[in-house]
Short mmCIF file of all heavy atoms in Angstrom, two decimals:
data_model
loop_
_atom_site.label_atom_id
_atom_site.label_comp_id
_atom_site.label_asym_id
_atom_site.label_seq_id
_atom_site.Cartn_x
_atom_site.Cartn_y
_atom_site.Cartn_z
N ALA A 1 -42.16 147.51 52.82
CA ALA A 1 -42.72 146.67 53.83
C ALA A 1 -43.77 145.77 53.21
O ALA A 1 -43.84 144.48 53.62
CB ALA A 1 -43.38 147.48 55.03
N TYR A 2 -44.55 146.17 52.25
CA TYR A 2 -45.61 145.26 51.64
C TYR A 2 -45.34 144.89 50.25
O TYR A 2 -46.26 144.59 49.43
CB TYR A 2 -46.91 146.12 51.71
CG TYR A 2 -47.16 146.62 53.16
CD1 TYR A 2 -47.37 148.03 53.40
CD2 TYR A 2 -47.29 145.75 54.13
CE1 TYR A 2 -47.61 148.43 54.66
CE2 TYR A 2 -47.57 146.18 55.45
CZ TYR A 2 -47.69 147.55 55.70
OH TYR A 2 -47.91 148.00 56.93
N ALA A 3 -44.09 144.87 49.97
CA ALA A 3 -43.69 144.47 48.49
C ALA A 3 -44.10 143.02 48.10
O ALA A 3 -44.33 142.80 47.02
CB ALA A 3 -42.16 144.68 48.36
N ILE A 4 -44.09 142.24 49.17
CA ILE A 4 -44.42 140.81 48.98
C ILE A 4 -45.89 140.47 49.27
O ILE A 4 -46.24 139.29 49.38
CB ILE A 4 -43.45 139.90 49.82
CG1 ILE A 4 -43.80 140.10 51.30
CG2 ILE A 4 -41.91 140.11 49.43
CD1 ILE A 4 -43.04 139.08 52.13
N ASP A 5 -46.70 141.49 49.32
CA ASP A 5 -48.04 141.33 49.67
C ASP A 5 -48.72 140.22 48.67
O ASP A 5 -49.29 139.26 49.16
CB ASP A 5 -48.85 142.56 49.60
CG ASP A 5 -50.21 142.50 50.11
OD1 ASP A 5 -50.73 141.46 50.32
OD2 ASP A 5 -50.79 143.59 50.53
N ARG A 6 -48.63 140.49 47.34
CA ARG A 6 -49.24 139.60 46.37
C ARG A 6 -48.60 138.25 46.38
O ARG A 6 -49.27 137.20 46.32
CB ARG A 6 -49.11 140.23 44.98
CG ARG A 6 -49.84 139.39 43.90
CD ARG A 6 -49.83 140.13 42.64
NE ARG A 6 -50.41 141.35 42.70
CZ ARG A 6 -50.54 142.30 41.69
NH1 ARG A 6 -49.94 142.02 40.45
NH2 ARG A 6 -51.17 143.37 41.77
N PHE A 7 -47.30 138.20 46.53
CA PHE A 7 -46.57 136.94 46.61
C PHE A 7 -47.02 136.12 47.85
O PHE A 7 -47.19 134.89 47.80
CB PHE A 7 -45.01 137.16 46.64
CG PHE A 7 -44.22 135.98 46.77
CD1 PHE A 7 -44.20 135.04 45.73
CD2 PHE A 7 -43.40 135.71 47.84
CE1 PHE A 7 -43.44 133.89 45.81
CE2 PHE A 7 -42.70 134.57 48.00
CZ PHE A 7 -42.66 133.68 46.89
N ALA A 8 -47.16 136.82 49.04
CA ALA A 8 -47.62 136.15 50.27
C ALA A 8 -49.02 135.56 50.03
O ALA A 8 -49.19 134.43 50.46
CB ALA A 8 -47.55 137.15 51.41
N ASN A 9 -49.90 136.27 49.42
CA ASN A 9 -51.24 135.81 49.21
C ASN A 9 -51.15 134.51 48.38
O ASN A 9 -52.00 133.58 48.52
CB ASN A 9 -52.07 136.88 48.50
CG ASN A 9 -52.74 137.79 49.56
OD1 ASN A 9 -53.50 137.31 50.34
ND2 ASN A 9 -52.54 139.02 49.54
N ASP A 10 -50.31 134.49 47.40
CA ASP A 10 -50.21 133.27 46.53
C ASP A 10 -49.70 132.04 47.30
O ASP A 10 -49.93 130.95 46.98
CB ASP A 10 -49.25 133.65 45.34
CG ASP A 10 -49.96 134.56 44.31
OD1 ASP A 10 -51.14 134.75 44.38
OD2 ASP A 10 -49.23 135.18 43.61
N LEU A 11 -48.87 132.31 48.32
CA LEU A 11 -48.28 131.24 49.08
C LEU A 11 -49.13 130.63 50.24
O LEU A 11 -48.89 129.63 50.69
CB LEU A 11 -46.89 131.63 49.68
CG LEU A 11 -45.64 131.62 48.68
CD1 LEU A 11 -44.38 132.02 49.45
CD2 LEU A 11 -45.48 130.26 48.10
N LEU A 12 -50.07 131.48 50.61
CA LEU A 12 -50.91 131.12 51.84
C LEU A 12 -51.67 129.77 51.57
O LEU A 12 -51.79 129.01 52.41
CB LEU A 12 -51.80 132.19 52.13
CG LEU A 12 -51.17 133.51 52.81
CD1 LEU A 12 -52.22 134.47 53.18
CD2 LEU A 12 -50.25 133.18 53.86
N PRO A 13 -52.16 129.58 50.36
CA PRO A 13 -52.90 128.29 50.14
C PRO A 13 -52.08 127.05 50.29
O PRO A 13 -52.34 125.98 50.71
CB PRO A 13 -53.43 128.42 48.73
CG PRO A 13 -53.60 129.85 48.48
CD PRO A 13 -52.46 130.52 49.19
N VAL A 14 -50.69 127.31 50.05
CA VAL A 14 -49.65 126.15 50.17
C VAL A 14 -49.64 125.84 51.65
O VAL A 14 -49.62 124.72 52.12
CB VAL A 14 -48.34 126.58 49.66
CG1 VAL A 14 -47.30 125.39 49.79
CG2 VAL A 14 -48.47 126.90 48.12
N ALA A 15 -49.49 126.86 52.50
CA ALA A 15 -49.45 126.70 53.92
C ALA A 15 -50.68 126.01 54.37
O ALA A 15 -50.67 125.13 55.33
CB ALA A 15 -49.17 128.03 54.69
N ASP A 16 -51.85 126.41 53.89
CA ASP A 16 -53.09 125.83 54.34
C ASP A 16 -53.11 124.35 54.08
O ASP A 16 -53.64 123.60 54.81
CB ASP A 16 -54.27 126.53 53.62
CG ASP A 16 -54.48 128.05 54.03
OD1 ASP A 16 -53.96 128.43 55.10
OD2 ASP A 16 -55.03 128.75 53.23
N ASN A 17 -52.76 124.00 52.82
CA ASN A 17 -52.77 122.57 52.42
C ASN A 17 -51.71 121.72 53.31
O ASN A 17 -52.10 120.62 53.62
CB ASN A 17 -52.37 122.41 50.92
CG ASN A 17 -53.53 123.03 50.10
OD1 ASN A 17 -54.69 122.95 50.42
ND2 ASN A 17 -53.17 123.46 48.87
N LEU A 18 -50.70 122.26 53.60
CA LEU A 18 -49.76 121.57 54.48
C LEU A 18 -50.42 121.32 55.88
O LEU A 18 -50.27 120.23 56.52
CB LEU A 18 -48.40 122.34 54.72
CG LEU A 18 -47.50 122.40 53.45
CD1 LEU A 18 -46.30 123.36 53.75
CD2 LEU A 18 -47.00 120.99 53.10
N ARG A 19 -51.01 122.30 56.37
CA ARG A 19 -51.67 122.17 57.68
C ARG A 19 -52.85 121.21 57.55
O ARG A 19 -53.06 120.30 58.48
CB ARG A 19 -52.29 123.59 58.16
CG ARG A 19 -53.05 123.64 59.39
CD ARG A 19 -52.59 122.84 60.63
NE ARG A 19 -51.16 122.97 60.77
CZ ARG A 19 -50.55 122.26 61.77
NH1 ARG A 19 -51.12 121.33 62.51
NH2 ARG A 19 -49.19 122.40 61.84
N ARG A 20 -53.63 121.23 56.45
CA ARG A 20 -54.72 120.26 56.29
C ARG A 20 -54.19 118.79 56.23
O ARG A 20 -54.71 117.78 56.75
CB ARG A 20 -55.54 120.53 55.05
CG ARG A 20 -56.31 121.86 55.19
CD ARG A 20 -57.28 122.00 54.05
NE ARG A 20 -57.86 123.40 53.97
CZ ARG A 20 -57.58 124.42 53.23
NH1 ARG A 20 -56.60 124.16 52.37
NH2 ARG A 20 -58.12 125.54 53.24
N ALA A 21 -53.01 118.73 55.57
CA ALA A 21 -52.46 117.31 55.49
C ALA A 21 -52.03 116.82 56.79
O ALA A 21 -52.24 115.65 57.09
CB ALA A 21 -51.26 117.29 54.49
N ILE A 22 -51.44 117.64 57.66
CA ILE A 22 -51.11 117.28 59.01
C ILE A 22 -52.16 116.92 59.81
O ILE A 22 -52.22 115.87 60.49
CB ILE A 22 -50.06 118.34 59.58
CG1 ILE A 22 -48.82 118.50 58.88
CG2 ILE A 22 -49.90 118.06 61.07
CD1 ILE A 22 -48.09 119.74 59.22
N GLU A 23 -53.22 117.72 59.78
CA GLU A 23 -54.36 117.45 60.67
C GLU A 23 -55.25 116.29 60.19
O GLU A 23 -55.99 115.72 60.96
CB GLU A 23 -55.28 118.69 60.71
CG GLU A 23 -54.69 119.90 61.47
CD GLU A 23 -55.38 121.15 61.40
OE1 GLU A 23 -56.46 121.17 60.67
OE2 GLU A 23 -55.06 122.13 62.08
N ALA A 24 -55.13 115.89 58.93
CA ALA A 24 -55.89 114.78 58.36
C ALA A 24 -55.36 113.46 58.93
O ALA A 24 -56.17 112.44 58.70
CB ALA A 24 -55.89 114.80 56.88
N VAL A 25 -54.19 113.33 59.34
CA VAL A 25 -53.61 112.11 59.82
C VAL A 25 -54.03 111.77 61.33
O VAL A 25 -53.77 112.61 62.16
CB VAL A 25 -52.02 112.16 59.76
CG1 VAL A 25 -51.46 110.75 60.20
CG2 VAL A 25 -51.63 112.34 58.19
N PRO A 26 -54.72 110.80 61.56
CA PRO A 26 -55.15 110.40 62.95
C PRO A 26 -53.90 110.25 63.80
O PRO A 26 -52.84 109.76 63.31
CB PRO A 26 -55.97 109.20 62.80
CG PRO A 26 -56.36 109.05 61.36
CD PRO A 26 -55.27 109.78 60.60
N ALA A 27 -54.05 110.42 65.07
CA ALA A 27 -52.94 110.25 66.09
C ALA A 27 -52.40 108.80 66.13
O ALA A 27 -51.25 108.57 66.11
CB ALA A 27 -53.38 110.74 67.39
N ASP A 28 -53.40 107.81 65.96
CA ASP A 28 -53.02 106.50 65.97
C ASP A 28 -52.23 105.99 64.79
O ASP A 28 -51.54 104.94 64.80
CB ASP A 28 -54.22 105.59 66.35
CG ASP A 28 -55.36 105.72 65.31
OD1 ASP A 28 -55.18 106.56 64.40
OD2 ASP A 28 -56.33 105.11 65.47
N ALA A 29 -52.41 106.73 63.65
CA ALA A 29 -51.74 106.34 62.53
C ALA A 29 -50.21 106.62 62.47
O ALA A 29 -49.49 106.10 61.58
CB ALA A 29 -52.38 107.10 61.27
N ARG A 30 -49.79 107.41 63.46
CA ARG A 30 -48.34 107.64 63.55
C ARG A 30 -47.58 106.41 63.86
O ARG A 30 -46.32 106.38 63.72
CB ARG A 30 -48.08 108.77 64.56
CG ARG A 30 -48.46 110.19 64.17
CD ARG A 30 -48.18 111.13 65.21
NE ARG A 30 -48.33 112.50 64.66
CZ ARG A 30 -47.33 113.28 64.18
NH1 ARG A 30 -46.16 112.80 63.93
NH2 ARG A 30 -47.58 114.49 63.74
N SER A 31 -48.21 105.43 64.36
CA SER A 31 -47.58 104.12 64.69
C SER A 31 -47.07 103.41 63.40
O SER A 31 -46.00 102.62 63.56
CB SER A 31 -48.47 103.28 65.44
OG SER A 31 -49.60 102.93 64.72
N GLN A 32 -47.51 103.84 62.29
CA GLN A 32 -47.01 103.27 60.95
C GLN A 32 -45.79 104.10 60.57
O GLN A 32 -45.82 105.31 60.41
CB GLN A 32 -48.19 103.37 59.96
CG GLN A 32 -49.48 102.62 60.31
CD GLN A 32 -50.49 102.87 59.24
OE1 GLN A 32 -50.19 103.06 58.04
NE2 GLN A 32 -51.79 102.67 59.62
N GLU A 33 -44.76 103.40 60.55
CA GLU A 33 -43.40 104.02 60.36
C GLU A 33 -43.45 104.86 59.01
O GLU A 33 -42.91 106.00 59.09
CB GLU A 33 -42.30 103.05 60.28
CG GLU A 33 -40.92 103.65 60.20
CD GLU A 33 -39.85 102.59 60.20
OE1 GLU A 33 -40.12 101.38 60.47
OE2 GLU A 33 -38.68 102.94 60.06
#
């Protein structure tokens, strides 16, 4: 069940950075194609 524990911990910062990139874009900037 926990074989990927260390691998998951290594991937979590990638997910964090993707979320930060999405949240960093203002809503009005989506009008730019």
